[in-house]
């Protein structure tokens, strides 16, 4: 009998905790994923800038044209990819915000 009561209480506690965890995930899931994705995009952009800066320093210090040019070009491609991805994501977010404002205005 006591084992059955403990089992029922344990099941109720598990349901209560799983409901709390799902509420936390629903509340904070969107902003955390958005923040993580923007962080990755900005990291990609920053690494492109860093590669270009290192390439320029290498060219200035060692007077090497080919290798520094290749590094600068690679950094520029990475920077452009990150910047374009950031702009695309920001424009998409602004469009959805505009649609929500338009819906609330119409209602």
């Amino acid at each position: 009998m006591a084992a059955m009561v403990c089992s029922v209480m344990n099941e109720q506690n598990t349901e209560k905790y799983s409901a709390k965890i799902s509420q936390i995930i629903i509340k904070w899931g969107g902003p955390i994923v958005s923040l993580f994705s923007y962080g990755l995009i900005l990291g990609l952009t920053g690494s492109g800038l860093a590669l270009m800066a290192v390439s320029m320093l290498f060219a200035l210090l060692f007077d090497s044209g080919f290798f520094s040019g290749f590094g600068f070009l690679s950094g520029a491609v990475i920077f452009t990819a990150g910047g374009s991805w950031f702009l695309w994501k920001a424009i998409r977010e602004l469009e959805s915000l505009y649609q929500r404002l338009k819906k609330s205005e119409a209602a």
Side-chain angles (χ1 to χ4, degrees):
M1 183 71 172
M4 192 164 116
V5 171
C6 287
S7 174
V8 169
M9 289 177 64
N10 196 12
E11 187 176 317
Q12 288 174 348
N13 285 339
T14 303
E15 288 176 10
K16 184 171 43 170
Y17 289 131
S18 65
K20 283 183 181 180
I21 290 173
S22 66
Q23 287 175 351
I24 291 171
I25 290 173
I26 289 169
K27 183 178 180 181
W28 293 102
I32 288 175
V33 168
S34 182
L35 184 66
F36 183 70
S37 67
Y38 275 114
L40 287 175
I41 293 169
L42 292 176
L44 180 68
T45 306
S47 66
L49 284 174
L51 185 58
M52 289 191 315
V54 167
S55 174
M56 288 301 278
L57 286 174
F58 188 77
L60 291 173
L61 294 176
F62 299 111
D63 196 31
S64 172
F66 177 71
F67 293 113
S68 63
F70 181 73
F72 192 79
L73 180 63
S74 299
V77 167
I78 293 170
F79 174 73
T80 303
S84 300
W85 195 9
F86 177 78
L87 288 175
W88 175 76
K89 192 165 179 64
I91 288 170
R92 224 176 69 193
E93 293 288 331
L94 288 173
E95 283 178 358
S96 68
L97 177 65
Y98 175 71
Q99 293 298 328
R100 275 189 262 143
L101 288 174
K102 198 172 175 183
K103 280 183 182 179
S104 67
E105 230 175 60

